[in-house]
Amino acid sequence: ISYFSNLIRDQVISNWKQPSSAKKGITAEILITLVPTGEIIQVKLSKTSGNQAFDNSALNAVQKMSKFEDLEMGRKLFDNHFRKFTLVFNPEI
């Protein structure tokens, strides 16, 4: 699970442009729904950080991607952990 979680995180982080208004200690949670091919079918803010620019930057980072690469895994692992999952964004200050 951690291998695929890190793979997804790294792909999203490469698209993320953290706003200058981000403060240490805030987090935004993005709910992502995938199909087994890694294609993203839904992206939704599930928990706001209270900072709209930060929330939008997190949403945009995921929305820039149409699919995650290299997610070849067993169907049970996918269904149990990656069909719907939450990605947590926090500032790296």
Side-chain angles (χ1 to χ4, degrees):
I1 294 170
S2 63
Y3 170 79
F4 291 111
S5 296
N6 290 336
L7 192 65
I8 289 169
R9 186 197 69 226
D10 291 347
Q11 289 178 50
V12 172
I13 293 299
S14 69
N15 284 328
W16 189 31
K17 298 204 178 3
Q18 184 175 228
S20 59
S21 63
K23 303 283 184 237
K24 191 172 186 166
I26 65 173
T27 61
E29 294 184 7
I30 308 297
L31 180 64
I32 302 170
T33 306
L34 297 178
V35 293
T37 59
E39 289 177 79
I40 299 168
I41 57 173
Q42 186 177 34
V43 178
K44 182 171 101 175
L45 180 68
S46 58
K47 183 179 174 206
T48 180
S49 66
N51 177 321
Q52 188 171 4
F54 185 79
D55 293 348
N56 288 340
S57 74
L59 274 169
N60 289 337
V62 178
Q63 290 170 337
K64 283 181 185 175
M65 308 188 67
S66 58
K67 84 178 269 188
F68 293 111
E69 301 297 330
D70 303 319
L71 292 186
E72 291 84 26
M73 68 181 82
R75 186 61 180 253
K76 185 174 181 180
L77 178 66
F78 176 81
D79 286 342
N80 290 342
H81 300 282
F82 295 99
R83 183 168 297 281
K84 284 189 176 209
F85 67 95
T86 300
L87 198 56
V88 178
F89 284 78
N90 52 26
E92 299 173 28
I93 299 176

